[in-house]
Amino acid sequence: MRIIAADVIVTSPDRNFVTLQLTTDDGVTGLGDATLNGRELAVVAYLREHVAPLLLDRDPHAIEDTWQFLYRSAYWRRGPVTMAAIAAVDMALWDIKAKVAGLPLYQLLGGASRRGALAYGHASGRDIPELLDSVREHLALGYRAIRIQTAVPGIDAVYGVAAQPSVDGVRYDYEPAQRGALPAEEDWDTRAYLRHLPGVFEAVRHEFGPELPLLHDGHHRMTPIQAARLGRDLEPYDLFWLEDCTPAENQDALRLVRSHTITPLAIGEVFNTVWDFQHLIRDQLIDYVRAAVTHAGGITPMRKILDYAAQYQIKSGIHGPTDISPVGMAAALHLDLAVHNFGIQEYMRHGDRTNEVFRQSFSFEGGLLHPGDQPGLGVTLDRAAAEAHPYRAAYLPYNRLKDGTVHDW
């Protein structure tokens, strides 16, 4: 069996997605997600111009060898563009291998370790009553764990609040990427945020009690000492985790945070390789690995990262927003079902147009996600539907402080 075609498909049903489709001489196809939010076309060029020609006539079953070849042969390693491209190849090869075996991918990863993967949804509101309504809506949808994000008085636009302008009239739980030639500018005030947030969690706990797992995303906007303060202030509300409390490129920053709070920490959605996690895992500075299969090089390296984390009782919390396509989401779910140290899975529902382009076998029942039992990843791509939605430029916003300084968003 040999690879005879490597097609890169760009589609924008509800947002932009980049998909790699590999085809073998036996007619078996495999899909991989290469979406990099706001920089999609950089990955398209990397795949079309540099990677696709290298895949032709290769053995699709040689997954490890192909991964090492793509990672090492370019000499220039790591980075989100490179790793998203490699991830797409890796997913597509696993999809092919599992289809040839006639098995859902999780069976090739060791079989199921659980009935399903606990998922959390994204509740948000412009004020506390609207937030509480959003939590109720998510509970009614079947979620058994909820991320809490809220507007902050004095700040015009805050990450994670769904009531802000939607994309093309299609309201997601929250999709910050906005169509247009330039990224939108938002404001930020960390002190206002730190004053406001504990009262929000007090209101949520008062309304929904102590049992509901609650999460919060700081989105890299705090200094280490600010993050330590927030983690400590939120301890009475028993968070499942505090995510991305400070930019984690500075690994020692998490040591300071850890020394001041016992609130569990989740880090890593912007990380690309095990090297980004090495010290955080070895020194037990985090509790959950937040990398995305799509951005960390695929299923093969993600399994290795999680196996390394398991040695330190650190669990998975794979990134799963709507800028991960249903293909990338399916890859995450197969890992979730197989690995022993599963923690929780982020789950944002895609829009109807996206679901028409990407037909999925995974299910969500009783708060648990399951990838389904179709051979392979369990996702098929409708090429005609994909072509009906051409690429449209879209960018994530960025923050400025009150004095005009560009800040982490």
Side-chain angles (χ1 to χ4, degrees):
M1 180 181 284
R2 294 288 164 180
I3 297 169
I4 62 168
D7 299 315
V8 182
I9 300 126
V10 183
T11 184
S12 189
D14 295 303
R15 53 143 298 110
N16 294 316
F17 297 110
V18 179
T19 307
L20 175 69
Q21 180 175 287
L22 300 182
T23 305
T24 72
D25 52 4
D26 290 346
V28 182
T29 60
L31 298 177
D33 180 22
T35 306
L36 185 61
N37 198 351
R39 296 294 185 271
E40 297 91 351
L41 298 185
V43 189
V44 171
Y46 194 102
L47 280 169
R48 283 180 176 163
E49 305 300 326
H50 302 292
V51 174
L54 304 178
L55 300 175
L56 300 182
D57 204 39
R58 290 187 68 87
D59 177 5
H61 288 302
I63 298 175
E64 179 71 24
D65 181 71
T66 298
W67 195 96
Q68 297 294 343
F69 168 67
L70 293 176
Y71 182 78
R72 297 176 187 279
S73 67
Y75 185 70
W76 309 108
R77 304 178 185 179
R78 306 168 68 181
V81 174
T82 295
M83 299 309 288
I86 294 175
V89 176
D90 188 74
M91 287 183 221
L93 293 179
W94 277 110
D95 195 17
I96 289 171
K97 184 181 282 288
K99 285 177 179 175
V100 171
L103 294 169
L105 175 59
Y106 71 83
Q107 294 289 11
L108 300 189
L109 300 176
S113 293
R114 56 197 49 82
R115 294 188 303 277
L118 177 67
Y120 72 88
H122 293 191
S124 68
R126 289 167 295 185
D127 52 31
I128 289 176
E130 187 173 84
L131 171 63
L132 299 180
D133 285 343
S134 180
V135 173
R136 293 185 191 98
E137 290 168 5
H138 281 79
L139 293 174
L141 290 170
Y143 287 98
R144 289 165 35 195
I146 310 288
R147 192 185 79 166
I148 301 297
Q149 306 294 135
T150 181
V152 176
I155 302 178
D156 291 335
V158 177
Y159 164 81
V161 179
Q164 294 168 138
S166 60
V167 180
D168 288 351
V170 178
R171 175 168 166 166
Y172 281 104
D173 181 42
Y174 183 64
E175 173 50 74
Q178 299 178 28
R179 312 281 191 177
L182 296 172
E185 180 180 309
E186 296 181 353
D187 56 342
W188 182 247
D189 183 338
T190 306
R191 294 185 68 241
Y193 164 75
L194 293 175
R195 289 193 304 269
H196 181 66
L197 199 62
V200 171
F201 275 87
E202 182 178 14
V204 174
R205 278 287 179 228
H206 178 76
E207 183 70 17
F208 297 101
E211 297 298 326
L212 179 64
L214 301 178
L215 306 86
H216 179 69
D217 186 359
H219 224 247
H220 313 107
R221 293 168 299 186
M222 289 168 277
T223 65
I225 198 64
Q226 289 169 340
R229 170 188 164 183
L230 181 62
R232 185 192 61 202
D233 288 349
L234 295 179
E235 286 177 10
Y237 311 110
D238 187 26
L239 268 63
F240 187 94
W241 77 33
L242 174 60
E243 176 186 349
D244 288 339
C245 57
T246 192
E249 294 96 323
N250 175 8
Q251 307 269 312
D252 284 336
L254 274 297
R255 195 180 309 280
L256 186 151
V257 178
R258 196 66 135 179
S259 69
H260 287 281
T261 181
I262 59 171
T263 295
L265 302 177
I267 288 288
E269 68 182 46
V270 298
F271 286 172
N272 309 128
T273 71
V274 68
W275 303 106
D276 298 309
F277 286 101
Q278 184 180 26
H279 297 305
L280 296 178
I281 291 173
R282 184 192 62 199
D283 296 344
Q284 302 179 70
L285 300 179
I286 60 174
D287 301 282
Y288 295 92
V289 168
R290 281 286 289 145
V293 181
T294 299
H295 302 142
I299 295 163
T300 298
M302 193 68 185
R303 178 62 184 265
K304 294 175 182 178
I305 292 170
L306 294 178
D307 285 345
Y308 176 45
Q311 298 178 50
Y312 298 91
Q313 301 182 66
I314 295 170
K315 296 185 177 183
S316 71
I318 296 177
H319 193 45
T322 50
D323 58 11
I324 302 297
S325 86
V327 177
M329 186 68 183
L333 295 183
H334 284 279
L335 275 171
D336 290 338
L337 206 63
V339 298
H340 180 259
N341 57 325
F342 169 76
I344 200 168
Q345 175 63 54
E346 181 177 22
Y347 176 42
M348 291 182 69
R349 295 166 180 265
H350 285 289
D352 291 340
R353 291 182 297 206
T354 295
N355 293 333
E356 290 172 0
V357 173
F358 299 92
R359 307 297 174 85
Q360 307 143 43
S361 67
F362 62 78
S363 61
F364 178 57
E365 296 180 8
L368 303 179
L369 287 161
H370 193 285
D373 287 309
Q374 290 185 9
L377 288 173
V379 180
T380 58
L381 177 69
D382 186 326
R383 292 288 293 268
E387 291 171 3
H389 303 289
Y391 169 83
R392 294 178 60 191
Y395 290 95
L396 294 168
Y398 69 101
N399 279 162
R400 287 188 187 273
L401 303 180
K402 290 182 177 180
D403 67 358
T405 304
V406 173
H407 188 65
D408 292 306
W409 177 81

